[in-house]
Amino acid sequence: MAEKLIKGPVSSAGATRAAHRIIRRSLAAMAKPIYVLNGPNLNLLGAREPEVYGRETLEDLRARCERKAAALGLTVEFRQSNHEGELVAWIQEARTKAAGLIVNAGAFTHTSIAMLDALLACPVPSVEVHLSNIFTREPFRHHSYISKAVRGVICGFGAIGYELAIEALADAIAAGKSK
Ligand code: CA2
């Protein structure tokens, strides 16, 4: 047994080097922010439909994400756009600039093959988030084009869903997951 303990690290120098490589990569990834991208009309949060989307404003959501990320030793780049092309450009930017990606694509969730294609081409781990439970709402909200391209989907938990997504990404980033 003792012999095994002594021999282990010496005979597994290759494995040790590989482990160091993974740690170096994870640390480098953690130096990059998690991109949190919000789609159309989410700038109206807090102003209308609190029974569906909650009372928090988009700025509250930003502060919540920043707090959660900081607690996990991460940072966030939090953005919102009403324009599909701008969201596509930001997903493309995330390919090299982000450690991970959270997307609430708003109504583009249910329409955008362009966002799906951008996400499929994005090598960083990503999570789709919805404030509301899209499956208990109108049938046209039940299908998401982008789900196919993400690691996981969180919906129906309101603002906390963004925090859950950050936790999931922190785990994926630390594990050196590429997608
Ligand atoms: O539940 C979500 O997070 C959604 O992505 C929100 C989108 C909706 O189209 C998706 O089906 C589900 C809509 C965001 C609109 O947000 C508003 C907030 C306040 C007032 C009006 C719209």
Side-chain angles (χ1 to χ4, degrees):
M1 180 66 182
E3 197 180 317
K4 255 192 189 165
L5 281 176
I6 295 163
K7 268 190 180 167
V10 179
S11 61
S12 62
T16 306
R17 272 198 301 276
H20 285 173
R21 227 174 5 252
I22 290 170
I23 291 166
R24 267 198 308 277
R25 258 189 234 140
S26 301
L27 287 175
M30 284 168 87
K32 295 177 179 176
I34 290 178
Y35 274 32
V36 184
L37 304 183
N38 296 280
N41 296 309
L42 285 160
N43 53 315
L44 300 177
L45 277 179
R48 286 180 41 215
E49 302 190 65
E51 65 290 352
V52 182
Y53 299 118
R55 294 194 181 280
E56 287 191 24
T57 65
L58 195 66
E59 280 312 302
D60 294 334
L61 216 50
R62 177 201 297 274
R64 186 188 271 273
C65 287
E66 285 172 353
R67 258 196 321 270
K68 181 69 186 184
L72 295 167
L74 296 164
T75 58
V76 294
E77 175 68 32
F78 190 96
R79 299 180 187 173
Q80 186 275 332
S81 176
N82 292 326
H83 303 281
E84 187 176 11
E86 189 162 36
L87 290 159
V88 166
W90 288 344
I91 295 168
Q92 289 184 9
E93 184 183 308
R95 297 175 73 219
T96 54
K97 302 245 170 77
L101 185 57
I102 294 171
V103 186
N104 182 348
F108 291 147
T109 304
H110 320 296
T111 62
S112 182
I113 298 170
M115 287 187 73
L116 167 65
D117 286 343
L119 285 165
L120 285 171
C122 188
V124 304
S126 57
V127 179
E128 175 183 350
V129 170
H130 299 286
L131 293 160
S132 64
N133 181 347
I134 56 175
F135 301 102
T136 60
R137 302 184 65 193
E138 305 95 320
F140 62 80
R141 294 187 204 274
H142 296 182
H143 176 257
S144 164
Y145 275 99
I146 66 171
S147 297
K148 184 183 175 2
V150 296
R151 278 185 80 73
V153 182
I154 296 168
C155 79
F157 295 101
I160 289 167
Y162 283 69
E163 293 191 45
L164 297 174
I166 290 172
E167 258 189 59
L169 283 180
D171 199 52
I173 293 163
K177 295 274 194 305
S178 62
K179 183 121 175 99

